[in-house]
Amino acid sequence: MRIIAIANQKGGCGKTTTAINLAASLAVNGRRVLLIDMDPQAHATLGLNVSSELCIYNVLSRLTDRKIALSEAIIPISERLHIVPSGIVLSTLEQELSGEIGRESCLLDALNEAPLEYDYILIDCPPNLGILTINAIRASSELIIPTEASRFSLEGINQLIDIVNLIRERLNHRVEYKILITSFDSRLAHSFDMLKKIREGFSHNLFNTIIHVNVKLKEAQNKGSHIINYNKYSRGAKDYFSLSREIISQEELFPMSAITASQEQKQQKQKEVILTLTAPQAKEVFLAGDFNKWQINDWARMEPKEDGIWFKRLQLKPGCYKYRFVVDGKWIKDPVNPNYQMNPFGSMDSLFEVKEE
Ligand SMILES: Nc1ncnc2c1ncn2[C@@H]1O[C@H](COP(=O)(O)OP(=O)(O)OP(=O)(O)O)[C@@H](O)[C@H]1O
Ligand SMILES: [Mg+2]
């Protein structure tokens, strides 16, 4: 598993755009990806149209009365792309941790608590060098520094590299960093001047891929989607796909750890469940439940089969689950399941149990 932080204290340089679209491109390449939103602005969370009461704050805080494990905060976006969302409450963590010993390692501790079944974990950082960014770098083995080709960006990169060096000296943790040029405008001569300067200063630590200015990237973020869903033929989609290939080509330098014995045990504990709904007239059917935090997204989409039957295959641990179907935008309970209960909105949730045996 490769854990990559995406950080730069400069605001608006393309951290979140890179986190979302690189994660989606790695997933398209068959990699299992977890995106952790470590920014209280929650732009990655919003940019993937996720809303959740519980977030990374509930994983990292010791004061919250709703403490959860990292694995409990995960929300599936599609088959291979999952997210741990953020929320504004995360902004209080900085102060909360100020007096704590080991405050730089909270995220690392949470990641170590239970093995996770991903090939990549990407961490989107806030625009500062505070404790949240330091936690992200401490938990990572690699760091991507998105940078626009402008004069002031260069000063910021040096400050960030100072932090990387400090983490190596004080915490004995080595992180490989690489700079990614973002929002590159090839119509401006100035862009090429700055690119030359960055190449001179950081030639060994620069991605070959350059991310060009592309309005489709902005539009996708505003629509709550990643670029591959929004417009896979756009320049932005091609650039991020090419970045994902460049990162994948370095996999032998960062060996992907094999699934550990405990992960195998965990996988074995999960059971396959298939839910079906007969809806011959429906154009689109989703399955939402507490197992996916009630999100309507690609992951929740049910597949149509012959005879108007829609189905969804789930891998779930033993336990009791609530669910509803969303048929062409209308929420309904399972019409053939006699087990249901009223929810706080006054409608019915269907229920099922995954048994140990
Ligand atoms: N290559 C690009 N082409 C066009 N627009 C872009 C590109 N990259 C990012 N943007 C837009 O620029 C704005 C800032 O980008 P983004 O949110 O990714 O930056 P950030 O570094 O995460 O910001 P913050 O520091 O606030 O977290 C967004 O509106 C985004 O859609
Ligand atoms: Mg951001």
Side-chain angles (χ1 to χ4, degrees), residues 4 31 141 205 230 272 278 349:
I4 309 176
R31 304 305 191 268
S141 47
N205 295 86
Y230 182 70
E272 181 167 284
T278 305
D349 292 338

Side-chain angles (χ1 to χ4, degrees), residues 65-76:
D65 47 7
R66 296 178 77 186
K67 179 90 176 155
I68 53 171
L70 190 83
S71 57
E72 293 173 282
I74 294 172
I75 296 177

Side-chain angles (χ1 to χ4, degrees), residues 329-342:
K330 192 168 166 232
W331 289 77
I332 59 165
K333 72 174 172 54
D334 188 341
V336 297
N337 181 351
N339 302 314
Y340 53 85
Q341 72 177 38
M342 192 180 281

Side-chain angles (χ1 to χ4, degrees), residues 15-307:
K15 294 181 286 296
T16 304
T17 307
T18 299
I20 291 177
N21 295 305
L22 174 59
S25 302
L26 288 167
V28 165
N29 277 288
R31 304 305 191 268
R32 295 159 305 172
V33 187
L34 178 66
L35 172 56
I36 300 180
D37 191 349
M38 276 292 271
D39 184 357
Q41 299 180 102
H43 287 167
T45 306
L46 298 169
L48 286 169
N49 210 15
V50 170
S51 60
S52 171
E53 267 178 49
L54 298 174
C55 72
I56 186 72
Y57 172 78
N58 303 87
V59 177
L60 301 178
S61 165
R62 288 179 202 165
L63 299 183
T64 173
D65 47 7
R66 296 178 77 186
K67 179 90 176 155
I68 53 171
L70 190 83
S71 57
E72 293 173 282
I74 294 172
I75 296 177
I77 302 289
S78 62
E79 213 53 51
R80 288 187 292 269
L81 172 59
H82 298 175
I83 188 170
V84 173
S86 179
I88 186 66
V89 64
L90 184 63
S91 57
T92 62
L93 194 71
E94 190 115 4
Q95 203 179 3
E96 200 183 303
L97 291 178
S98 61
E100 297 235 4
I101 296 168
R103 60 181 185 268
E104 318 81 12
S105 305
C106 296
L107 181 60
L108 179 69
D109 295 344
L111 283 166
N112 282 340
E113 232 164 62
L116 296 165
E117 294 149 28
Y118 294 98
D119 301 309
Y120 286 86
I121 295 182
L122 303 185
I123 309 171
D124 185 26
C125 294
N128 59 55
L129 295 177
I131 198 70
L132 295 172
T133 300
I134 292 181
N135 261 274
I137 298 177
R138 176 68 190 92
S140 305
S141 47
E142 295 166 71
L143 167 65
I144 296 178
I145 309 177
T147 308
E148 287 170 327
S150 71
R151 202 183 111 219
F152 298 117
S153 326
L154 282 175
E155 290 156 23
I157 297 175
N158 284 321
Q159 277 176 356
L160 185 52
I161 293 170
D162 285 347
I163 293 281
V164 170
N165 290 336
L166 203 67
I167 289 177
R168 191 176 55 217
E169 282 159 26
R170 299 260 175 90
L171 304 175
N172 196 22
H173 176 69
R174 198 184 161 85
V175 181
E176 301 293 335
Y177 72 87
K178 255 185 156 181
I179 294 161
L180 173 70
I181 305 289
T182 56
S183 294
F184 188 79
D185 191 342
S186 47
R187 293 167 304 182
L188 306 177
H190 170 76
S191 305
F192 289 94
D193 292 345
M194 286 315 300
L195 180 60
K196 190 162 167 264
K197 280 211 175 95
I198 296 173
R199 280 202 175 123
E200 280 164 9
F202 302 97
S203 59
H204 298 301
N205 295 86
L206 191 62
F207 281 104
N208 294 327
T209 306
I210 289 177
I211 309 296
H212 296 81
V213 170
N214 181 234
V215 71
K216 299 286 174 212
L217 289 165
K218 201 185 265 289
E219 287 173 12
Q221 212 157 332
N222 290 340
K223 285 262 180 318
S225 186
H226 54 74
I227 192 67
I228 294 165
N229 260 0
Y230 182 70
N231 188 332
K232 65 178 171 189
Y233 302 110
S234 63
R235 176 100 205 227
K238 285 180 189 150
D239 284 350
Y240 277 107
F241 189 80
S242 136
L243 177 65
S244 70
R245 297 302 310 170
E246 190 175 344
I247 289 175
I248 286 170
S249 73
Q250 299 156 347
E251 277 176 3
E252 68 264 33
L253 303 176
F254 296 92
M256 315 288 278
S257 58
I259 293 177
T260 61
S262 52
Q263 271 176 297
E264 267 170 26
Q265 281 161 10
K266 193 176 158 202
Q267 279 180 342
Q268 280 162 10
K269 264 176 98 185
Q270 292 195 336
K271 305 272 174 232
E272 181 167 284
V273 179
I274 297 175
L275 289 178
T276 60
L277 175 75
T278 305
Q281 310 298 332
K283 294 192 180 65
E284 194 177 48
V285 181
F286 293 94
L287 168 70
D290 44 9
F291 40 78
N292 80 331
K293 315 277 196 302
W294 301 95
Q295 306 289 312
I296 309 292
N297 54 25
D298 269 0
W299 182 91
R301 199 177 287 281
M302 294 182 80
E303 276 180 47
K305 289 278 155 197
E306 62 281 0
D307 306 329

